Amino acid sequence: MTDSALCAVQLTKRYGRLTALDALDLDVLPGEVFGFLGPNGAGKSTTIRLLLGLARPTAGRAEVFGVDAADVARAHGHLAYVPADVALWPQLTGAEILHLQARTGPGTDVAYRDELVERFALDVSKPARTYSTGNRQKVALVAAFATRAPLLVLDEPTSGLDPLMEHEFRTAVRQARDRGQTVFLSSHQLAEVEAVCDRVGILRAGRLVEVATISDLRGLRRSEVTISYTGTAPDLTMIPGVAAVQPAGDGQLQFTLTAAPAPALRALAAVDVTALAVREPSLEEIFLDYYGEQASR
Amino acid sequence: MNTGILPASTTVSLTTEPSPGRAVTWLALRQIRRGGLTVTGLAAGMTAVVAATYGQVMADPAAAGSLRALAGNPAIRTLFGVPIGLDTAGGFVVWRVGTVIAVLLGVWSILATTRITRGEEDAGHWDVLLSGRVPLRDTVIRHLAVVMMVAAATATTITTVLLAAGTPPAGAIIHGAGTGLLGVFFAAVAALTAQVFPARSPATGTAVAVLGVGLLARMIGDGVTALGWLHWLSPFGLLTLSGPYVHNRTPPLLLLAVAAALTTTATLAAAGRRDIRGGLIPAPAGRPARTSLLAGVETFAVRRTLLPATGWLIGIGAYYLLIGLTAVSVTGFLRDNPALAGQAAQAGFAGLGSIPGFAATLFAILAMPVAGFTTVRMTAFLAAETDRRLTLLTSQPVTRIRLLGAEVAVTAVAAAFLVTGAGLLTWAGVTIMGGDLALAAALHGTWNVLPIVLLSLGAAVLAVGWAPRWTGLIGGLPSVGAFLLLIIAESTAAPLWVRDLSPFAHLAPVPLTGPDPAASAIMLATGVTLAVIGGLGYRRRDLLS
């Protein structure tokens, strides 16, 4: 188990009768950027609270580099954290908060921190009271990225950032990975996860439904095929890998393809196909498919 | 994308007219209903209990004698006001619980008002609210009105209880109305400071300072005959001037009502002239970093405690300087009235005619404000946890015990500074007036209350670990709660064991006598045990956020 940067074994959290997290098994390897996806209320923040020892598991255990998450003095020596909704001491300025975080944290690269302040265009002379959501998030991000902690735990860190700053964020994540830092990125922004993550875990209603590499996840996709034809419509029943066949207007047909296309192409060859369009679904659509299926159950 | 008009079938037909204003009022009410019910219930309960015991106390000559001695105790007089009409049930109730209830209602009105107005605005909750159809001024006035309604409800309950107890209607109405108006006035003051300052803590602090100065002005007015006019400047003084059951004067209450109306008008004017999330005083735009005391968890706890501790030191210090300055004249008066001193001695307040004896009785009540300070610090620590300011620190390589321990240790040291300050200023006051009180005696006297303060702190830490929502109440039990228990037990001739439950019953009157090391050790040990149990709970529980 000590090989993992983050490890959860049968991690469970119940609040009374509500099961917020149900027997989560998770391994995040050192050096990888792990995306933790799920809709609001799926239990992402609960998982992070358990991994950080901010809440106690009802059952199971969590470890950070082989250290029990409850032993925060040791476990937190290996990590830096950006909460989902950053609250700061209103009377302290950004610079003062960064100073406090550096002095109490696991070690900070001050030169890099100053560079990050520049890159994120953060005015650190202002009291935190006057910061917008995005600026509060920037303070926490700068503090976390500037540490030399081998693990960064980021809980929906870009929800308040504008596109320019989101770009800076992605650059900072890549630089962290290049330095050998592990990144655990909780998000519901698929584009972000697709852009920076190596592997993804998908959480729904407190259960982990999938752990896959980004390319694996794309492999789950089904291509969406639209054809135009003249004359009789092709007969696509009983063709392996073809599903959801439906007319898409006059002389058009739409279907999804989840297997090798050869059988479908053979069937199409029998009719006069005038146009053929194949569309690759985005990760977002794959993701929605997951939850669409779950929701329709 | 089609942004066309919704088809007619999906248009919701409204069966009732929307009333956004009423919705805002309900929102305000929801936020304070529990506290409001508690305050009204406490006021009614305390009034009823004391009114019910009046007959019993007066029937027992020993109890009546000790009551008169208690009334002569200068500490009690400065706290509760000058007793007038102790020979009637109504007058007895007014003197015994009137000030306590007035302070309770006043402080609650301030805290509730700033919490649901500036606090909610600060937290960003009003951004959505004010994007609706209700403008800022209406929102403020509706929130303020709800707090004022609680004050009015308290007034009505007090009057009803007093009428039910068979006291004369005029006195019952004057007393109830006076208490309610005081709550209304302080709610208005808090609403005004919440418009002036762009943050909750200075708004609350300023309003509480107004209350403190008002209370102090009444105490000075009570203590120094030449300064009796100060009563007219203080809401508490105006209540004294109204003299329920004895004088039944309405002009002082009318003056208080006018002051409350003017303050409310000023609040509305201020609300109309400021930005949302801003105050009349703008928030500073920026400043160079001040990194002193930001080197670690412990020093950061010191940094956060410095300002509040200074505020408390000014308040407590001013009161004890006043005590020191008046000690010579008051003890002289008691020396010249041997009958009164004799009764006091019978009731256990021996040596009131001497400065050490006088100081000893007043040092006992020092435990309450200082324990109040420690409880407030613990609730502030919890507030940082619940509103997630503490999250960034709890994710650092710092144990929870160290976080809590730093806070508790710094609070305990600050409490020691407060009692030392009180001792020094009492000594200074006495010395300036040419009285005789050794510095060591004064300091020993104030340090003597530290075990009660630390017992309170221990109780608050216990609550932080196991029942965080009750921290304020549990932290206040060993100090304010225990003092009220002692006073009620003594004035209602309750069984001895009830009185002995109070740590104040075991507090040696230092510097009149030596300290009671056994009692102090038991209180300290209990406080430490409670704190350790609380720490264990805090280490284990989920953080609130």
Side-chain angles (χ1 to χ4, degrees):
Chain A
M1 287 292 180
T2 49
D3 309 331
S4 311
L6 262 183
C7 158
V9 182
Q10 292 291 301
L11 197 60
T12 304
K13 182 67 180 177
R14 289 189 204 96
Y15 295 102
R17 288 168 60 194
L18 174 82
T19 303
L21 193 66
D22 194 5
L24 176 84
D25 285 305
L26 192 67
D27 262 306
V28 177
L29 305 176
E32 76 172 333
V33 179
F34 188 90
F36 197 47
L37 277 172
N40 297 327
K44 299 193 298 292
S45 288
T46 302
T47 308
I48 288 180
R49 284 168 58 79
L50 295 172
L51 292 172
L52 287 174
L54 303 182
R56 305 283 150 164
T58 312
R61 63 194 162 83
E63 286 177 5
V64 178
F65 288 103
V67 179
D68 185 357
D71 183 0
V72 292
R74 281 176 64 213
H76 291 183
H78 298 296
L79 63 83
Y81 169 53
V82 176
D85 189 354
V86 182
L88 303 172
W89 300 94
Q91 69 277 26
L92 297 189
T93 65
E96 288 164 356
I97 291 163
L98 289 176
H99 181 84
L100 176 68
Q101 286 301 110
R103 295 299 292 265
T104 54
T108 293
D109 182 339
V110 177
Y112 185 52
R113 185 183 71 192
D114 295 345
E115 184 195 324
L116 285 169
V117 167
E118 287 293 315
R119 275 167 47 188
F120 278 102
L122 180 66
D123 181 354
V124 291
S125 71
K126 284 187 175 173
R129 168 176 301 124
T130 62
Y131 282 152
S132 65
T133 312
N135 277 332
R136 290 201 303 272
Q137 227 154 18
K138 285 183 196 172
V139 172
L141 280 170
V142 167
F145 280 126
T147 64
R148 298 190 183 90
L151 171 66
L152 304 178
V153 178
L154 314 176
D155 191 358
E156 302 193 3
T158 59
S159 51
L161 299 187
D162 59 45
L164 214 61
M165 290 305 137
E166 235 179 277
H167 177 74
E168 282 303 335
F169 167 77
R170 290 179 192 180
T171 311
V173 169
R174 287 192 199 98
Q175 286 175 337
R177 179 173 46 190
D178 293 346
R179 275 193 303 274
Q181 286 174 301
T182 311
V183 180
F184 184 83
L185 171 65
S186 158
S187 180
H188 55 231
Q189 291 198 26
L190 294 142
E192 177 178 288
V193 167
E194 200 170 1
V196 298
C197 292
D198 305 315
R199 277 205 308 155
V200 178
I202 297 179
L203 196 68
R204 185 186 183 277
R207 301 190 70 100
L208 195 64
V209 290
E210 180 75 42
V211 176
T213 61
I214 289 285
S215 49
D216 280 347
L217 201 59
R218 288 216 188 88
L220 290 171
R221 75 189 158 208
R222 33 197 171 192
S223 305
E224 212 174 271
V225 185
T226 310
I227 59 158
S228 306
Y229 59 90
T230 52
T232 49
D235 179 16
L236 291 170
T237 51
M238 306 298 287
I239 306 288
V242 172
V245 183
Q246 54 184 1
D250 200 19
Q252 284 199 330
L253 199 67
Q254 211 172 49
F255 59 91
T256 61
L257 190 62
T258 49
L265 290 176
R266 272 193 292 275
L268 290 178
V271 299
D272 188 8
V273 175
T274 55
L276 182 136
V278 181
R279 207 177 64 82
E280 304 251 320
S282 68
L283 190 57
E284 185 130 5
E285 284 164 289
I286 298 171
F287 186 70
L288 287 175
D289 262 0
Y290 256 96
Y291 293 117
E293 280 168 26
Q294 298 275 352
S296 61
R297 270 178 206 168
Chain B
M1 190 181 155
N2 182 9
T3 53
I5 298 157
L6 283 175
S9 61
T10 62
T11 309
V12 181
S13 68
L14 294 166
T15 50
T16 52
E17 277 292 305
S19 50
R22 211 177 303 158
V24 169
T25 305
W26 273 111
L27 170 72
L29 192 62
R30 275 180 69 99
Q31 289 171 293
I32 61 159
R33 57 185 172 185
R34 197 155 45 143
L37 281 177
T38 312
V39 167
T40 309
L42 270 177
M46 283 158 76
T47 307
V49 166
V50 174
T53 54
Y54 176 72
Q56 190 192 338
V57 170
M58 285 303 147
D60 177 357
S66 83
L67 173 71
R68 270 192 293 276
L70 200 66
N73 175 346
I76 301 293
R77 283 171 87 99
T78 38
L79 269 188
F80 290 76
V82 178
I84 50 168
L86 267 194
D87 48 346
T88 66
F92 174 70
V93 171
V94 170
W95 175 71
R96 166 54 75 236
V97 289
T99 303
V100 175
I101 292 174
V103 171
L104 177 77
L105 181 64
V107 169
W108 180 84
S109 298
I110 289 172
L111 295 179
T113 306
T114 53
R115 174 167 63 85
I116 65 172
T117 58
R118 178 52 71 180
E120 288 294 289
E121 197 175 333
D122 244 2
H125 299 164
W126 274 21
D127 291 3
V128 176
L129 187 68
L130 292 172
S131 68
R133 300 206 319 233
V134 185
L136 175 64
R137 279 168 49 143
D138 283 20
T139 307
V140 169
I141 194 71
R142 281 178 182 276
H143 280 71
L144 176 58
V146 167
V147 179
M148 288 178 169
M149 266 162 50
V150 173
T154 308
T156 314
T157 359
I158 291 176
T159 303
T160 311
V161 167
L162 286 174
L163 287 176
T167 65
I173 291 169
I174 291 280
H175 176 57
T179 309
L181 277 174
L182 185 124
V184 166
F185 173 74
F186 281 112
V189 169
L192 179 60
T193 58
Q195 308 311 306
V196 172
F197 294 99
R200 180 177 161 188
S201 45
T204 309
T206 309
V208 169
V210 172
L211 186 140
V213 169
L215 200 55
L216 205 61
R218 194 215 68 193
M219 288 173 182
I220 297 173
D222 283 349
V224 185
T225 320
L227 296 176
W229 53 269
L230 276 175
H231 281 128
W232 287 98
L233 299 182
S234 155
F236 295 96
L238 290 172
L239 294 201
T240 307
L241 288 171
S242 74
Y245 294 104
V246 181
H247 310 300
N248 286 337
R249 297 190 194 107
T250 45
L253 297 189
L254 289 177
L255 187 63
L256 188 54
V258 169
L262 287 177
T263 314
T264 307
T265 312
T267 302
L268 286 181
R273 292 166 147 264
R274 69 177 183 88
D275 294 341
I276 291 159
R277 290 231 206 178
L280 283 188
I281 295 175
R287 60 177 167 83
R290 293 194 289 261
T291 53
S292 62
L293 294 177
L294 285 181
V297 169
E298 292 77 12
T299 53
F300 185 46
V302 173
R303 179 164 165 150
R304 277 179 293 117
T305 309
L306 274 179
L307 194 66
T310 309
W312 283 80
L313 183 62
I314 291 171
I316 293 173
Y319 177 75
Y320 278 91
L321 180 65
L322 175 75
I323 294 299
L325 291 171
T326 56
V328 176
S329 67
V330 172
T331 50
F333 167 74
L334 285 170
R335 253 201 317 276
D336 298 342
N337 291 274
L340 198 58
Q343 275 176 341
Q346 257 183 343
F349 294 104
L352 269 185
S354 73
I355 288 177
F358 174 73
T361 50
L362 284 159
F363 287 159
I365 57 171
L366 172 64
M368 281 191 286
V370 180
F373 164 77
T374 61
T375 306
V376 167
R377 290 313 299 159
M378 285 297 113
T379 48
F381 180 69
L382 263 181
E385 181 186 330
T386 43
D387 66 19
R388 299 185 305 277
R389 270 171 292 154
L390 210 57
T391 307
L392 283 182
L393 275 183
T394 50
S395 62
Q396 300 287 58
V398 174
T399 59
R400 291 212 203 149
I401 290 294
R402 196 175 144 202
L403 268 179
L404 179 66
E407 201 70 24
V408 172
V410 170
T411 304
V413 170
F417 270 110
L418 289 183
V419 297
T420 306
L424 277 174
L425 284 161
T426 311
W427 167 79
V430 171
T431 309
I432 290 168
M433 299 306 284
D436 189 20
L437 179 68
L439 177 59
L443 290 179
H444 288 153
T446 53
W447 288 341
N448 186 47
V449 302
L450 266 181
I452 295 186
V453 172
L454 295 177
L455 180 65
S456 255
L457 179 58
V461 176
L462 178 78
V464 167
W466 297 96
R469 291 167 65 96
W470 299 96
T471 301
L473 190 70
I474 294 176
L477 274 185
S479 51
V480 180
F483 187 75
L484 287 177
L485 176 74
L486 182 79
I487 295 295
I488 291 172
E490 285 186 350
S491 55
T492 59
L496 205 60
W497 65 266
V498 175
R499 179 184 176 277
D500 281 350
L501 281 179
S502 170
F504 286 92
H506 309 284
L507 192 69
V510 183
L512 186 65
T513 67
D516 181 346
S520 298
I522 290 172
M523 288 183 220
L524 272 179
T526 313
V528 170
T529 310
L530 293 178
V532 168
I533 297 173
L536 291 177
Y538 185 67
R539 204 164 70 95
R540 287 219 50 82
R541 75 168 165 84
D542 293 354
L543 290 181
L544 316 163
S545 54

